Amino acid sequence: MSIVISLTSFFTLLCLCIILGHLLEENRWANESITALLLGLCVGAVVLVVSHGTSSRLLSFSEELFFIYLLPPIIFNAGFQVKKKQFFRNFTTILLFGAIGTLISFGIISAGAYFLFKLIGVTSLEFKDYLAIGAILSATDSVCTLQVLNQDETPLLYSLVFGEGVVNDATSIVLFNAVQTLDFNKIDAIIPLKLLGTFLFLFFTSTSLGIVVGLLSAFIIKKLYIGRHSTDREVALMMLMAYLSYMLAQLFYLSGILTVFFCGIVMSHYTWHNVTESSRITTRHVFGTISFIAEIFIFLYVGMDALDLSKWKASKARPETSVAVSVALIALVLIGRAAFVFPLSAISNCFGNRIGTIIDLRQQFIMWWAGLMRGAVTIALSYNKFTVSGSTASEDHALIITCTILVVLLSTVFGSVTKPLIEATHSQHLRPGAESEPAIFEDIHLWFLDNERQAPCRSSLSLLIRHPTSTVHYFWRKFDDKYMRPVFGGRGFVPFVPGSQTVAADESIHN
């Protein structure tokens, strides 16, 4: 009966969060994430008083609940709804920030924590613990990014920050798992190469798995015309195969985040166009709704968990020690992110020769600020490292957990300032398509027509050097139209469904 009461109360709070979010829709300082977090804190305080200080939560935080049930629909919907052209035009920069940037941040946070904690008086942590702290706090919150950035108003910023967040989460988890398994009695120069190899293997295998499952779903639905008998089966098959991609990645110890994200991209490019009109409308709303509820659930969950007195009592740290450690961690996160955002942006700009691909100083500042947010991934990894069977192994481990929660809370509150900052620094860009890149594909097409008869190999190579991303996209479109779509369907494919009238699909989410 207690679980029924807890769930009833939690669902009531979710409804309240949605209502408050609607009422605060026009408030530039508020969004569902910060509203749910603050409401979680308030309710946690009430539960704490009612339970006489024994608990602040209606539900206990569980890594399994987060990683298996809440995170997959959020990341899948982000891949399903993402502006693919904008995302892949900036893919090199996204990888640069998400992989190299995370490594830089990891190194700075780990080294800084090692030296600062000893000055503060935290001395019982091992070297492996400091590396774990670096990996944990290098994980930006891609869920928060969805709340504070709008891909229609600021498409370049959205694609860079969110895309970086997805790759960043995968990189952080790889680093975290590698740190857990490293034998520090046999440290040598090969270890960095092993970490790099592990990351590359994980990235490409996870991405490939997501693409394969997405293509398989498109092929099955195209060949079987499931919608001629039941649109419910079409929707169910898409949902289950999306979730299957994530579970397969977990089963084979790959990155479920990357797998389900790219599965969403492939499904939106092929599978979505193979289903009936009613299924297209249904899937867009179902995926968006599930993702929306999961996001609110996470922030409400974190807010209530922050007031768990058992963690604070277990640390037995003086208030000034907790404040000092929290301030040190926030400072390291700030420095670690600045250490790669601005230098890597400069490097990216050196190779960018088109308007729309250059990251100006204002955009760099927003990228630095928006990426400071830490969320449920950080808390889940912290629990994984510093608790055993739900309890902490030492006082300093409990201190790290409580300080990590403080960092998450403060960084999320800081994140609420992102929208006003964007309005203040990008006021002239805040309209749909304002940051979109110029349409140069027509120029590339004409350029090919003018030159390929004379020197096709030379002209193709020259254009690849001058406009690598756009040239790859040009050839991909030709390959896609000639080989992929005839097999897997996609835009232009009209499934035959007796008795139904098919209309042109809304392409706005697929450009």
Side-chain angles (χ1 to χ4, degrees):
M1 188 64 181
S2 59
I3 188 64
V4 174
I5 296 175
S6 296
L7 288 174
T8 302
S9 303
F10 212 91
F11 290 150
T12 302
L13 292 175
L14 289 174
C15 294
L16 183 59
C17 283
I18 294 174
I19 295 172
L20 291 175
H22 171 72
L23 296 176
L24 297 173
E25 180 68 27
E26 302 302 324
N27 190 317
R28 63 176 184 170
W29 297 93
N31 53 58
E32 274 84 5
S33 61
I34 191 67
T35 302
L37 188 65
L38 294 177
L39 183 60
L41 287 170
C42 294
V43 174
V46 173
V47 174
L48 198 62
V49 172
V50 172
S51 64
H52 304 289
T54 58
S55 175
S56 66
R57 299 166 295 177
L58 297 173
L59 298 172
S60 298
F61 188 91
S62 166
E63 296 172 57
E64 180 180 296
L65 173 65
F66 172 71
F67 282 111
I68 301 299
Y69 301 107
L70 298 178
L71 189 60
I74 296 174
I75 302 300
F76 173 81
N77 185 64
F80 192 77
Q81 303 282 356
V82 74
K83 304 278 188 181
K84 294 190 291 296
K85 287 182 181 178
Q86 185 74 30
F87 178 80
F88 284 107
R89 286 175 190 173
N90 298 293
F91 193 62
T92 304
T93 305
I94 288 171
L95 283 181
L96 186 67
F97 279 78
I100 305 301
T102 303
L103 290 174
I104 294 173
S105 179
F106 164 74
I108 290 176
I109 294 174
S110 298
Y114 180 79
F115 291 106
L116 291 178
F117 282 16
K118 292 185 181 298
L119 294 177
I120 295 172
V122 180
T123 57
S124 68
L125 297 179
E126 299 177 355
F127 184 67
K128 182 182 290 189
D129 294 331
Y130 292 109
L131 292 179
I133 291 172
I136 290 168
L137 291 176
S138 294
T140 60
D141 189 5
S142 53
V143 177
C144 262
T145 304
L146 299 174
Q147 295 283 340
V148 300
L149 292 177
N150 188 303
Q151 70 172 331
D152 292 320
E153 294 177 349
T154 53
L156 177 61
L157 281 175
Y158 182 93
S159 66
L160 288 176
V161 178
F162 176 73
E164 176 217 332
V166 173
V167 179
N168 167 280
D169 284 344
T171 306
S172 299
I173 293 172
V174 170
L175 286 172
F176 179 80
N177 292 332
V179 167
Q180 298 287 78
T181 57
L182 281 179
D183 183 2
F184 287 87
N185 296 321
K186 299 179 181 179
I187 297 179
D188 52 36
I190 302 179
I191 286 183
L193 295 177
K194 289 181 178 179
L195 288 176
L196 178 61
T198 301
F199 169 74
L200 292 175
F201 173 78
L202 189 74
F203 180 85
F204 287 109
T205 52
S206 300
T207 301
S208 299
L209 178 60
I211 293 173
V212 168
V213 175
L215 290 176
L216 181 61
S217 70
F219 183 79
I220 292 174
I221 290 179
K222 177 177 180 292
K223 289 298 181 183
L224 297 183
Y225 293 147
I226 296 177
R228 63 185 171 182
H229 296 308
S230 171
T231 57
D232 293 340
R233 289 175 185 154
E234 283 185 321
V235 177
L237 187 61
M238 286 185 68
M239 293 177 65
L240 290 174
M241 292 200 71
Y243 195 75
L244 176 64
S245 70
Y246 184 86
M247 296 309 299
L248 286 173
Q250 296 296 102
L251 180 65
F252 295 115
Y253 301 99
L254 302 177
S255 172
I257 293 175
L258 282 174
T259 297
V260 77
F261 179 73
F262 280 96
C263 181
I265 290 178
V266 173
M267 279 193 173
S268 71
H269 188 67
Y270 295 109
T271 314
W272 189 78
H273 295 276
N274 297 343
V275 299
T276 59
E277 174 198 345
S278 59
S279 294
R280 292 176 186 176
I281 297 173
T282 302
T283 51
R284 286 182 58 186
H285 289 294
V286 166
F287 292 149
T289 301
I290 295 175
S291 172
F292 176 72
I293 294 174
E295 290 172 25
I296 299 176
F297 193 103
I298 288 173
F299 288 108
L300 189 62
Y301 205 66
V302 170
M304 298 181 68
D305 192 64
L307 295 179
D308 182 14
L309 290 184
S310 62
K311 302 185 187 69
W312 299 91
K313 292 178 180 178
S315 69
K316 297 181 180 179
R318 295 178 299 175
E320 54 268 29
T321 302
S322 296
V323 171
V325 171
S326 300
V327 170
L329 291 176
I330 292 175
L332 290 172
V333 169
L334 289 167
I335 296 171
R337 184 154 184 86
F340 76 82
V341 167
F342 299 105
L344 294 184
S345 295
I347 293 174
S348 177
N349 289 341
C350 290
F351 296 95
N353 54 6
R354 288 174 290 142
I355 298 173
T357 60
I358 300 298
I359 309 172
D360 62 36
L361 189 59
R362 293 174 303 176
Q363 292 169 328
Q364 292 175 33
F365 179 78
I366 295 298
M367 289 178 63
W368 170 71
W369 185 264
L372 295 176
M373 291 180 289
R374 300 297 183 264
V377 172
T378 299
I379 291 181
L381 293 178
S382 179
Y383 281 15
N384 182 283
K385 172 61 182 174
F386 297 109
T387 61
V388 178
S389 299
S391 60
T392 53
S394 69
E395 295 177 8
D396 283 347
H397 284 186
L399 174 64
I400 297 302
I401 289 179
T402 55
C403 291
T404 300
I405 292 174
L406 283 177
V407 170
V408 170
L409 292 176
L410 292 174
S411 65
T412 304
V413 173
F414 292 161
S416 65
V417 185
T418 303
K419 283 185 178 180
L421 280 176
I422 293 176
E423 293 176 7
T425 59
H426 291 72
S427 57
Q428 68 271 32
H429 295 299
L430 291 181
R431 61 182 186 276
E435 285 185 349
S436 29
E437 298 181 85
I440 66 170
F441 292 108
E442 292 79 4
D443 296 336
I444 291 177
H445 182 68
L446 293 175
W447 197 90
F448 267 105
L449 290 178
D450 292 338
N451 292 278
E452 64 183 0
R453 293 182 181 178
Q454 301 174 5
C457 295
R458 181 180 177 183
S459 61
S460 301
L461 180 61
S462 175
L463 189 61
L464 181 62
I465 294 173
R466 292 175 56 191
H467 304 289
T469 306
S470 301
T471 305
V472 170
H473 185 272
Y474 172 81
F475 283 116
W476 160 249
R477 287 295 296 270
K478 293 181 66 176
F479 176 81
D480 191 31
D481 291 337
K482 187 174 182 179
Y483 298 105
M484 298 296 288
R485 287 180 181 170
V487 177
F488 299 104
R491 186 185 306 169
F493 175 76
V494 181
F496 173 73
V497 182
S500 69
Q501 180 180 2
T502 304
V503 299
D506 177 10
E507 298 294 334
S508 61
I509 66 170
H510 303 284
N511 293 321

